[in-house]
Amino acid sequence: MFMYLSHPLDPKGVAWPGEPVIEVTRCTDVCEEIPFSSFMSKLPNHFGTHMDAPRHFVRDGLSINELPIEYFCHKDVALLEIPKGEAEGITKEDLEPYKDILQKVSFAFLRTGFEIYRTKMPEIYQNEGPYIAVSAGQYLSDNFPNLKGIGIDFLSIGSPSSRVPETENPKNCHQAILGFHTGRFTAVIEDMHLAELPKNVKIKQFFNAPLRIIGLDSSQVTCIAEVE
């Protein structure tokens, strides 16, 4: 069975506070004078389910179009359950029990359960989300060379919440995992749809195809998993 693990791009969707969402404008519709339908879309590249490549927060880092195709096609994938609430960080200590799994896979989904707020309480989802702590980002990038990426079921690597310690600000959290400190990095898919994956699911393969637009640091990705 195949499943989408990315959210539809919705003009009514949730973006980082103050950032724009997708705009969709109809250009033509089928009628007697015009035989076709067409639209124009204006899409901020960090809106919706998207992959952060290093260039997002690392000036000399690789952009999404420079990543090898191995970052987008995966046979060894794991779902890790790491429950988190408002403004709570995923830490190195949260990840250490999964060390043996992380050594084997090329992609890991970190399911916190915070996705439930995306539709029920979008203001909480937008403003008070969890984050990937600096300790966790460095742990992943420094210790698991086969791990190409992780996916998270909350808005961003960093949280906009004022309750987060200053040392865990969005810049530090992004740079820690995207390679600023050592050059080794782990890509991250933010704002994934993980809620419908069954617990202890066996994932046969996972694809996260980006929009191949020249010049972008990062890109929306269409995420599809085959599960048993």
Side-chain angles (χ1 to χ4, degrees), residues 70-190:
E70 287 78 17
Y71 279 82
F72 310 109
C73 307
H74 308 276
K75 294 285 189 180
D76 299 307
V77 186
L79 172 63
L80 310 184
E81 304 285 356
I82 307 178
K84 294 293 173 180
E86 296 177 28
E88 291 184 344
I90 295 175
T91 65
K92 175 184 176 183
E93 290 72 27
D94 291 320
L95 297 171
E96 286 177 328
Y98 297 105
K99 179 179 180 180
D100 291 344
I101 295 174
L102 290 167
Q103 287 177 338
K104 298 175 183 176
V105 300
S106 65
F107 205 95
F109 305 135
L110 310 187
R111 182 160 65 184
T112 66
F114 203 76
E115 184 182 343
I116 192 172
Y117 290 102
R118 197 178 194 273
T119 53
K120 290 190 174 182
M121 301 180 71
E123 289 187 1
I124 296 295
Y125 187 83
Q126 181 180 43
N127 295 290
E128 299 295 334
Y131 59 95
I132 300 176
V134 169
S135 67
Q138 291 179 329
Y139 178 69
L140 289 171
S141 293
D142 290 352
N143 293 282
F144 306 102
N146 294 324
L147 185 69
K148 299 298 188 292
I150 63 168
I152 55 178
D153 63 344
F154 48 95
L155 188 64
S156 174
I157 295 169
S159 174
S161 175
S162 61
R163 292 185 283 168
V164 174
E166 174 55 31
T167 54
E168 304 288 353
N169 65 57
K171 176 184 176 182
N172 290 350
C173 291
H174 279 82
Q175 287 187 337
I177 197 167
L178 295 179
F180 178 78
H181 298 282
T182 64
R184 296 187 296 272
F185 68 89
T186 304
V188 182
I189 301 179
E190 300 177 322

Side-chain angles (χ1 to χ4, degrees), residues 46-75:
H46 289 276
F47 168 71
T49 304
H50 66 278
M51 175 182 275
D52 277 357
R55 184 63 178 86
H56 184 34
F57 269 82
V58 180
R59 180 173 291 276
D60 296 325
L62 297 177
S63 70
I64 192 81
N65 287 300
E66 294 174 310
L67 296 180
I69 199 167
E70 287 78 17
Y71 279 82
F72 310 109
C73 307
H74 308 276
K75 294 285 189 180

Side-chain angles (χ1 to χ4, degrees), residues 7-19:
H7 295 286
L9 296 170
D10 186 347
K12 297 179 181 179
V14 178
W16 182 269
E19 290 296 302

